[in-house]
């Protein structure tokens, strides 16, 4: 039982898994934050482009 206790406390496989889970969660969180901040500006820009395209009459010359 003493040997099992020593080997269990020295085993680091679980700690590595926890590290990867934390890193993955941080990357996903940063991705969501970037998406949220960029989406507002993209919606405004798309609205501006839509307004410009509706007001301008395109002229085609050959």
């Amino acid at each position: 039982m003493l040997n099992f206790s020593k080997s269990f406390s020295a085993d680091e496989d679980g700690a590595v898994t926890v590290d990867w889970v934390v890193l993955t969660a941080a990357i996903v969180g940063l991705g969501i934050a970037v998406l949220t901040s960029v989406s507002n500006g993209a919606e405004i820009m798309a609205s501006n482009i839509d307004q410009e395209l509706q007001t301008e009459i395109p002229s085609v010359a050959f």
Side-chain angles (χ1 to χ4, degrees), residues 33-43:
V34 167
L35 180 67
T36 302
S37 66
V38 170
S39 67
N40 190 23
E43 287 178 14

Side-chain angles (χ1 to χ4, degrees), residues 11-24:
D11 190 16
E12 294 184 5
D13 288 341
V16 172
T17 303
V18 171
D19 289 344
W20 278 108
V21 168
V22 170
L23 286 173
T24 303

Side-chain angles (χ1 to χ4, degrees), residues 1-57:
M1 184 69 178
L2 186 60
N3 288 337
F4 174 74
S5 176
K6 285 182 182 179
S7 67
F8 182 76
S9 65
D11 190 16
E12 294 184 5
D13 288 341
V16 172
T17 303
V18 171
D19 289 344
W20 278 108
V21 168
V22 170
L23 286 173
T24 303
I27 290 170
V28 169
L30 286 173
I32 290 171
V34 167
L35 180 67
T36 302
S37 66
V38 170
S39 67
N40 190 23
E43 287 178 14
I44 292 171
M45 182 62 70
S47 176
N48 291 344
I49 291 171
D50 182 45
Q51 289 174 0
E52 286 293 323
L53 289 174
Q54 287 181 5
T55 58
E56 293 293 322
I57 299 173

